Coordinates of all heavy atoms in Angstrom, one line a residue:
L1 N 95.8 73.4 114.9 CA 95.9 74.8 115.3 C 97.3 75.4 115.1 O 97.3 76.6 114.6 CB 95.4 74.9 116.8 CG 95.3 76.3 117.3 CD1 94.2 77.0 116.6 CD2 95.1 76.3 118.8
P2 N 98.4 74.8 115.5 CA 99.7 75.5 115.3 C 99.9 75.9 113.9 O 100.4 77.0 113.6 CB 100.7 74.5 115.9 CG 99.9 73.7 116.8 CD 98.6 73.6 116.3
D3 N 99.6 75.0 113.0 CA 99.9 75.2 111.5 C 98.9 76.3 111.0 O 99.3 77.2 110.2 CB 99.7 74.0 110.7 CG 100.4 74.0 109.4 OD1 101.5 74.6 109.3 OD2 99.8 73.5 108.4
F4 N 97.7 76.3 111.5 CA 96.7 77.3 111.2 C 97.2 78.7 111.7 O 97.1 79.7 110.9 CB 95.4 77.0 111.8 CG 94.3 78.0 111.5 CD1 93.7 78.0 110.2 CD2 93.9 78.9 112.4 CE1 92.7 78.9 109.9 CE2 92.9 79.8 112.1 CZ 92.3 79.8 110.9
L5 N 97.7 78.8 112.9 CA 98.2 80.0 113.4 C 99.4 80.6 112.6 O 99.5 81.8 112.3 CB 98.6 79.9 114.9 CG 97.5 79.8 115.9 CD1 98.2 79.5 117.3 CD2 96.7 81.0 116.0
R6 N 100.2 79.7 112.2 CA 101.4 80.1 111.5 C 101.1 80.5 110.0 O 101.6 81.5 109.5 CB 102.5 79.0 111.5 CG 103.7 79.4 110.7 CD 104.7 78.3 110.5 NE 105.6 78.2 111.6 CZ 106.4 77.2 111.7 NH1 106.5 76.3 110.8 NH2 107.2 77.2 112.7
N7 N 100.3 79.7 109.3 CA 100.1 79.9 107.9 C 98.9 80.8 107.5 O 98.9 81.4 106.4 CB 100.1 78.6 107.2 CG 101.4 77.8 107.3 OD1 102.4 78.4 107.4 ND2 101.3 76.5 107.4
Y8 N 97.8 80.8 108.3 CA 96.6 81.4 107.9 C 96.2 82.6 108.8 O 95.8 83.6 108.3 CB 95.5 80.4 107.8 CG 95.8 79.2 106.9 CD1 96.1 78.0 107.4 CD2 95.9 79.4 105.5 CE1 96.4 76.9 106.6 CE2 96.2 78.4 104.7 CZ 96.5 77.1 105.2 OH 96.8 76.1 104.4
L9 N 96.3 82.4 110.1 CA 95.8 83.5 110.9 C 96.9 84.7 111.0 O 96.5 85.8 111.0 CB 95.6 83.0 112.3 CG 95.0 83.9 113.3 CD1 93.7 84.5 112.8 CD2 94.8 83.3 114.7
K10 N 98.1 84.3 111.0 CA 99.2 85.3 111.0 C 99.0 86.3 112.1 O 98.6 87.4 111.9 CB 99.3 86.1 109.7 CG 99.6 85.2 108.5 CD 101.0 84.9 108.3 CE 101.3 84.2 107.0 NZ 102.6 83.7 106.9
V11 N 99.4 85.9 113.3 CA 99.3 86.7 114.5 C 100.1 88.0 114.4 O 99.8 89.0 114.9 CB 99.7 85.9 115.7 CG1 99.7 86.7 117.0 CG2 98.9 84.6 115.9
S12 N 101.1 87.9 113.6 CA 102.0 89.1 113.4 C 101.3 90.2 112.7 O 101.8 91.4 112.8 CB 103.3 88.7 112.6 OG 102.9 88.3 111.3
R13 N 100.2 90.0 112.1 CA 99.5 91.1 111.4 C 99.1 92.2 112.4 O 99.0 93.3 112.1 CB 98.3 90.6 110.6 CG 98.7 89.8 109.4 CD 97.4 89.4 108.7 NE 97.8 88.5 107.7 CZ 96.9 87.6 107.1 NH1 95.7 87.6 107.4 NH2 97.3 86.8 106.1
L14 N 98.8 91.7 113.6 CA 98.3 92.6 114.7 C 99.5 93.6 115.1 O 99.3 94.7 115.3 CB 97.9 91.8 115.9 CG 96.7 90.8 115.7 CD1 96.5 90.0 116.9 CD2 95.5 91.6 115.2
W15 N 100.7 93.1 115.1 CA 101.9 93.9 115.4 C 102.2 94.8 114.3 O 102.6 95.9 114.5 CB 103.0 93.0 115.8 CG 104.3 93.8 116.2 CD1 104.5 94.3 117.4 CD2 105.4 94.1 115.3 NE1 105.7 95.0 117.3 CE2 106.3 94.8 116.1 CE3 105.7 93.8 114.0 CZ2 107.4 95.3 115.6 CZ3 106.8 94.3 113.5 CH2 107.7 95.1 114.3
V16 N 102.1 94.3 113.1 CA 102.6 95.1 111.9 C 101.7 96.3 111.7 O 102.1 97.3 111.2 CB 102.6 94.2 110.7 CG1 102.9 95.0 109.4 CG2 103.7 93.1 110.9
A17 N 100.4 96.2 112.0 CA 99.5 97.3 111.8 C 99.9 98.5 112.6 O 99.8 99.7 112.1 CB 98.1 96.9 112.1
R18 N 100.5 98.3 113.7 CA 101.0 99.4 114.6 C 102.3 99.9 114.1 O 102.7 101.0 114.4 CB 101.0 98.8 116.0 CG 101.7 99.3 117.0 CD 101.4 98.6 118.3 NE 102.1 97.3 118.4 CZ 103.2 97.2 119.0 NH1 103.8 98.3 119.6 NH2 103.8 96.1 119.1
N19 N 103.1 99.1 113.4 CA 104.5 99.4 113.1 C 104.6 100.0 111.6 O 105.6 100.5 111.2 CB 105.4 98.2 113.2 CG 106.8 98.6 113.1 OD1 107.2 99.7 113.5 ND2 107.6 97.7 112.6
S20 N 103.5 100.0 110.9 CA 103.5 100.4 109.5 C 103.7 101.9 109.4 O 104.1 102.4 108.3 CB 102.3 100.0 108.8 OG 101.1 100.6 109.3
S21 N 103.4 102.7 110.4 CA 103.6 104.2 110.3 C 105.1 104.5 110.2 O 105.4 105.5 109.5 CB 103.0 104.8 111.6 OG 103.7 104.4 112.7
E22 N 106.0 103.7 110.8 CA 107.4 104.0 110.6 C 107.8 103.7 109.2 O 108.6 104.5 108.6 CB 108.2 103.1 111.6 CG 109.7 103.3 111.5 CD 110.4 102.3 112.4 OE1 109.8 101.7 113.3 OE2 111.6 102.1 112.1
L23 N 107.3 102.7 108.6 CA 107.7 102.4 107.2 C 107.1 103.4 106.3 O 107.8 103.8 105.3 CB 107.1 101.0 106.8 CG 107.9 99.8 107.4 CD1 107.2 98.5 107.0 CD2 109.3 99.8 107.0
N24 N 105.9 103.9 106.5 CA 105.3 105.0 105.7 C 106.2 106.3 105.8 O 106.4 107.0 104.8 CB 103.9 105.3 106.2 CG 102.9 104.2 105.8 OD1 103.2 103.4 104.9 ND2 101.8 104.1 106.5
L25 N 106.7 106.6 107.0 CA 107.5 107.7 107.2 C 108.8 107.6 106.4 O 109.3 108.6 105.7 CB 107.8 107.9 108.7 CG 108.6 109.2 109.1 CD1 107.7 110.4 108.8 CD2 109.0 109.1 110.5
L26 N 109.4 106.4 106.4 CA 110.6 106.2 105.7 C 110.4 106.2 104.2 O 111.2 106.7 103.4 CB 111.3 104.9 106.1 CG 111.9 104.8 107.5 CD1 112.3 103.4 107.8 CD2 113.1 105.8 107.6
Q27 N 109.2 105.7 103.7 CA 108.9 105.8 102.3 C 108.7 107.2 101.8 O 109.1 107.6 100.7 CB 107.6 105.0 102.0 CG 107.2 104.9 100.6 CD 108.3 104.2 99.7 OE1 108.8 103.1 100.1 NE2 108.6 104.8 98.6
K28 N 108.1 108.0 102.7 CA 108.0 109.5 102.3 C 109.3 110.1 102.3 O 109.6 111.0 101.4 CB 107.1 110.2 103.4 CG 105.6 109.8 103.3 CD 104.8 110.5 104.4 CE 103.4 110.1 104.3 NZ 102.5 110.6 105.4
E29 N 110.2 109.7 103.1 CA 111.6 110.3 103.1 C 112.3 109.9 101.8 O 113.0 110.8 101.2 CB 112.4 109.7 104.3 CG 113.8 110.3 104.5 CD 114.5 109.8 105.7 OE1 113.8 109.5 106.7 OE2 115.7 109.7 105.6
V30 N 112.1 108.7 101.3 CA 112.7 108.3 100.0 C 112.1 109.1 98.9 O 112.8 109.5 98.0 CB 112.5 106.7 99.8 CG1 112.8 106.3 98.4 CG2 113.4 106.0 100.8
D31 N 110.8 109.2 98.9 CA 110.1 110.0 97.8 C 110.6 111.4 97.8 O 110.8 112.0 96.7 CB 108.6 109.9 98.0 CG 108.0 108.5 97.8 OD1 108.7 107.7 97.2 OD2 106.9 108.3 98.3
L32 N 110.7 112.0 99.0 CA 111.2 113.4 99.1 C 112.6 113.5 98.5 O 113.0 114.5 97.8 CB 111.2 113.9 100.5 CG 111.6 115.3 100.8 CD1 110.6 116.3 100.1 CD2 111.6 115.6 102.3
A33 N 113.5 112.6 98.9 CA 114.9 112.6 98.4 C 114.9 112.4 96.8 O 115.7 113.1 96.2 CB 115.7 111.5 99.0
R34 N 114.0 111.6 96.3 CA 114.0 111.5 94.8 C 113.5 112.7 94.1 O 114.0 113.1 93.1 CB 113.0 110.3 94.5 CG 113.7 109.0 94.7 CD 112.8 107.8 94.3 NE 113.4 106.6 94.6 CZ 112.8 105.4 94.9 NH1 111.5 105.4 94.9 NH2 113.5 104.3 95.1
E35 N 112.5 113.4 94.8 CA 112.1 114.7 94.3 C 113.2 115.7 94.3 O 113.3 116.5 93.3 CB 110.9 115.2 95.1 CG 109.6 114.5 94.8 CD 108.5 114.9 95.7 OE1 108.6 116.0 96.4 OE2 107.4 114.3 95.8
Q36 N 114.0 115.7 95.3 CA 115.2 116.6 95.4 C 116.2 116.4 94.3 O 116.7 117.3 93.7 CB 115.8 116.5 96.7 CG 115.0 117.2 97.9 CD 115.7 117.0 99.2 OE1 116.7 116.3 99.3 NE2 115.1 117.7 100.2
V37 N 116.4 115.1 93.9 CA 117.3 114.8 92.8 C 116.7 115.3 91.5 O 117.5 115.9 90.7 CB 117.5 113.2 92.7 CG1 118.1 112.8 91.4 CG2 118.2 112.7 93.9
E38 N 115.5 115.2 91.3 CA 114.9 115.7 90.1 C 114.9 117.3 90.0 O 115.2 117.9 89.0 CB 113.4 115.3 89.9 CG 113.3 113.8 89.6 CD 114.0 113.4 88.4 OE1 113.9 114.1 87.3 OE2 114.7 112.3 88.4
E39 N 114.7 117.9 91.2 CA 114.8 119.4 91.3 C 116.3 119.8 90.9 O 116.5 120.8 90.2 CB 114.4 119.9 92.6 CG 112.9 119.8 92.9 CD 112.6 120.2 94.3 OE1 113.5 120.7 95.1 OE2 111.4 120.0 94.7
V40 N 117.2 119.1 91.5 CA 118.6 119.5 91.2 C 119.0 119.2 89.8 O 119.7 120.1 89.2 CB 119.6 118.7 92.2 CG1 121.0 118.8 91.7 CG2 119.4 119.1 93.6

């Protein structure tokens, strides 16, 4: 069970699903900054 939890079940996926919105927001910020470089 402990090895199964660590390698296959990945309990952390439950936490990451809730935290991915912050990463999406930062990715949009990077994309927007790159667009500004092209505009300039």
